[in-house]
Every structure is written in structure tokens, then in C-alpha cells.
Amino acid sequence: MAYGTVTTVSTSGGHTFSKESRDSVTLLAGLGVEGDAHAGVTVKHRSRVAQDPTQPNLRQVHLIHEELFTELSDAGFTVAPGELGENLTTRGIDLLALPTGTLLRIGDDAVVEVTGLRNPCLQIEAFQEGLLKQVVGRDATGAIVRKAGVMSVVRQGGVIRPGDTVAAELPEGPHRPLERV
């Protein structure tokens, strides 16, 4: 089992790009982060609602690894936790390497299931010019690499605070790599 730590928790009640840091957030099973605009059983992301509002919401909780901010800083960008729209910022766990279906046990009670990669969008470029190229690119084989975090659904609710432990429980059987959701 891999372990990490929650460094920041963030929410926004409106469909804003960035989210505000909080002292704690409450995850609601099957819905997402209490009070967050993206909480719900069906999709809440505006472009996905326009396509099909009945789609299941596979993007209830967005997690980004804090190490990305260091990488962006080294490239000349200043990005703080919550500014890329994530609900949970973590440290010490390689979120992007987890397989689909990984359970993340967070704090005392909360459990989320990783559904896939966040697909970086043009809003990132509007936030800071040149930033989109830092969070999406290609590897040596030409495959697309997305670095803007992972998306998940809430399997068990609970309160999450900075400093809480994140424990990754990998699924059984052959692992499926993360794809964009």
C-alpha cells in the first residue's frame, strides 16, 4: 500500500476555475464534496452537461499532487493549491501512476475510488499563459501525458483535513492504466 498526506482541501460553490482553501471538507458518498459545484450523481462540468446531462459523475473529487506545483515553479509558473480547481492536494503519493479503480482511504473515514485523469482544458491556459503545455504534453513515444491530477468518486463519506493520511489500495487483477474522464 502506498501512503501520502493531504496538504490542502478546497471547494467552490460556483463554477469557478479555482477553489478556495478550507480548514476541512466533507465528502458525501455517491455525491462528492459537500457545497462544491461539481458534487452530484450526474455530471456537473458544464461542457459535459451540454453533451449529456444524464452521464454519471466520474469527477466528484479532483486530486492533484503537490509535487506538480514544484515542477511548475521550476518552469517559471506560480500556482498555489486549489488554483487548478482541485479539491484535495496531496504529497508523497504518485497519483498519476495509480491504476483505475484504486481506492484512496483518506483520514479516518473517507474513501474515494480513482476513475481517471483530469483532461487539462483551455481554462488552464487562460489562467496562466503557457501553463497548459506544462500540464499536458507527449512522452518519448508520442503518447499524451496528462499531469493535472486524477478524478474520483466518493465511496464512503467523511471529513478531510490538511495533514490527513492518504492510503492507496490497489484493485485486484490486471490493472488498467488511467485514462481521461
Side-chain angles (χ1 to χ4, degrees), residues 140-171:
T141 68
I144 295 175
V145 176
R146 294 174 177 86
K147 299 180 190 178
V150 299
M151 306 307 280
S152 64
V153 294
V154 181
R155 294 296 180 216
Q156 182 173 308
V159 176
I160 300 175
R161 294 175 181 83
D164 282 349
T165 299
V166 180
E169 184 179 313
L170 302 181

Side-chain angles (χ1 to χ4, degrees), residues 8 16 29 36 45 47 54 60 76 78 80 129-130 136 146 155 157 162:
T8 308
T16 59
D36 193 80
H45 194 276
S47 66
T54 66
Q60 294 174 356
T78 302
E129 188 176 336
V136 64
R146 294 174 177 86
R155 294 296 180 216

Side-chain angles (χ1 to χ4, degrees), residues 88-113:
L88 305 178
T89 309
T90 65
R91 179 179 50 237
I93 189 164
D94 189 353
L95 297 172
L96 303 178
L98 297 172
T100 302
T102 297
L103 296 179
L104 298 175
R105 298 185 181 281
I106 308 169
D108 294 334
D109 301 308
V111 179
V112 299
E113 179 180 339

Side-chain angles (χ1 to χ4, degrees), residues 38 124 178:
H38 290 97
I124 292 174
L178 294 175

Side-chain angles (χ1 to χ4, degrees), residues 58 95-102 113-117 155 170-181:
L58 301 178
L95 297 172
L96 303 178
L98 297 172
T100 302
T102 297
E113 179 180 339
V114 178
T115 55
L117 295 166
R155 294 296 180 216
L170 302 181
E172 291 186 26
H175 292 166
R176 291 180 311 151
L178 294 175
E179 297 179 6
R180 70 182 175 93
V181 293

